[in-house]
Amino acid sequence: MVQSKKDLFGAVFAEFLATALFIWIGCGAAISSNTWHSGNSTPEVGSVVGIAIAFGFGISVLAYGIGHVSGGHITPAVTFSFLIRGEMSFASAIMYMLAQFFGAFIGALFLYASVVGLTTGCEGNSVDTIDDGANERLCASSCTLDADSGLFMDCGPPFGLGTNVVSGAIGQGSAFIAELIGTFVLVFTVLMAAVHPSNGSGPN
C-alpha cells in the first residue's frame, strides 16, 4: 500500500504512463494488423495472433515495469479489486482510476496522431479508385460511403483506433460473460503474479 504523498503521486503517474503506453501498443497493433490485412472481411490468423501477442506482452512488460512503484494495476478492474480487499484507500483508488482513464485518453490521442494519415487517400475517392483491398477495407471501416456520389466522406480515426464491438453472432449476455471471465483472469494474474508479496516484482 502506498504510504506517503510522494509515493502516491509517483504511483499515480506510473499508472497514467503505463495505461497510455498500453493503449498505444495494443490498439496500435490492431490498427496495423488491419491495415496490412487482405481485402476480405475474415480476419487472418496472423493478424489475430499478432494483436494478442502485442496486448499480452504489452500488459506483462508494463505491469512488471511499474509493479514496484504502483502495483502494476493499469486497469480500473485491478484497482477496484485492491479497494475491496482493503489494500488501498478510497481516495487512492479514485486517483488511480482517474490516472488510468486519462492515460487511456492520452494514449489514444498519441495513437491517433500516429495513424491519422492512413485515411488520407480515402476522402473523396470511390471504391473503384482505392489502390488495393487493404485500403478499401480501411476506407470502408473508417469513413462514410455517400450513397449518392459513391465517394468516401467524413473519415474518422482509422479502424476506430482498434475499438471493439460486440459481434452480431453473439448476444450481449454472452459478451458480458466473456468479458467477466477475461477480467477475472486478468485480475487474478496481476494479484498473484505481479503484486503478490512473495513475488519479486511486487511493491516492497
Side-chain angles (χ1 to χ4, degrees), residues 26-27 32 42 53 56 62-64 73 83-84 90 92 109-110 127 132 134 136 138 149 152 168:
C27 294
S32 298
T42 303
I53 290 175
L62 292 169
Y64 274 92
H73 296 194
L83 177 63
I84 62 176
F90 180 78
S92 296
L109 283 181
F110 274 100
V127 175
D132 53 45
E136 178 182 336
L138 166 66
S149 64
F152 290 110

Side-chain angles (χ1 to χ4, degrees), residues 174-190:
S174 297
F176 175 81
I177 293 175
E179 289 293 325
L180 180 66
I181 296 174
T183 302
F184 171 79
V185 172
L186 171 63
V187 171
F188 178 80
T189 302
V190 172

Side-chain angles (χ1 to χ4, degrees), residues 107-182:
L109 283 181
F110 274 100
L111 177 58
Y112 182 54
S114 301
V115 300
V116 63
L118 290 176
T119 55
T120 301
C122 298
E123 193 83 29
N125 287 320
S126 66
V127 175
D128 295 332
T129 58
I130 299 300
D131 292 338
D132 53 45
N135 285 334
E136 178 182 336
R137 190 168 183 270
L138 166 66
C139 297
S141 301
S142 311
C143 309
T144 300
L145 183 62
D146 185 76
D148 297 326
S149 64
L151 302 178
F152 290 110
M153 309 293 291
D154 301 324
C155 295
F159 294 109
L161 292 184
T163 53
N164 294 324
V165 295
V166 177
S167 171
I170 63 174
Q172 295 290 334
S174 297
F176 175 81
I177 293 175
E179 289 293 325
L180 180 66
I181 296 174

